[in-house]
Amino acid sequence: MSTTTYFDREAALDYLQKWHTDEDRESAEDLLDDRGFCSCCGVDYAGLDRDAGDMTGQAGSGDDLDGEPLTPVPWNPRIANHAGRVDFDNDEGDSVASVRMVRAGSGYAVIIDQLSDTYNLIIKHTNE
């Protein structure tokens, strides 16, 4: 199985610089690899690999994912381009993201549209 994950690199760099306070932006850029991991300490500053060990108090703390799931609101499948789309709403009823899944080549793609909070976005790939 092949998985390509996209993350907010600028937010990950901001978070890395909170822990590596001696790094300027250019050197922080050199430390962060293409998957969001720091090359010197191995911490996942993109928050994509929450099961990679004990990171308590650091980026990717496991407690961050223990909250209640957001409410899924399916779009009307009878309207063109609405089939397969789902909004996820926060506690106030505002859409946080619209998500759809489509066939892509020999696999599938998850597409996140209308994302309202990219700074706090965590993408976790799991087969649980």
Side-chain angles (χ1 to χ4, degrees), residues 79-126:
I79 298 175
N81 286 335
H82 284 208
R85 291 180 187 254
V86 177
D87 280 350
F88 287 91
D89 295 348
N90 61 19
D91 294 337
E92 292 79 32
D94 299 323
S95 289
V96 174
S98 294
V99 179
R100 59 191 164 109
M101 191 162 185
V102 298
R103 293 192 185 275
S106 61
Y108 304 93
V110 176
I111 301 169
I112 303 173
D113 296 316
Q114 302 173 11
L115 188 62
S116 67
D117 192 356
T118 59
Y119 185 77
N120 291 315
L121 175 67
I122 298 167
I123 298 173
K124 179 179 179 182
H125 173 259
T126 179

Side-chain angles (χ1 to χ4, degrees), residues 10-114:
E10 288 302 312
L13 285 167
D14 289 344
Y15 211 46
L16 184 147
Q17 284 187 282
K18 287 181 183 178
W19 293 95
H20 292 274
T21 55
D22 56 330
E23 302 293 337
D24 61 20
R25 197 59 165 200
E26 187 175 321
S27 61
E29 180 78 45
D30 292 339
L31 288 177
L32 193 67
D33 70 14
D34 291 338
R35 297 179 312 137
F37 288 89
C38 178
S39 60
C40 78
C41 60
V43 171
D44 175 20
Y45 285 101
L48 305 177
D49 183 12
R50 296 308 179 106
D51 298 324
D54 182 18
M55 296 182 280
T56 305
Q58 297 184 25
S61 164
D63 294 338
D64 292 349
L65 300 178
D66 293 340
E68 291 293 317
L70 297 181
T71 304
V73 181
W75 287 29
N76 186 342
R78 295 180 299 231
I79 298 175
N81 286 335
H82 284 208
R85 291 180 187 254
V86 177
D87 280 350
F88 287 91
D89 295 348
N90 61 19
D91 294 337
E92 292 79 32
D94 299 323
S95 289
V96 174
S98 294
V99 179
R100 59 191 164 109
M101 191 162 185
V102 298
R103 293 192 185 275
S106 61
Y108 304 93
V110 176
I111 301 169
I112 303 173
D113 296 316
Q114 302 173 11

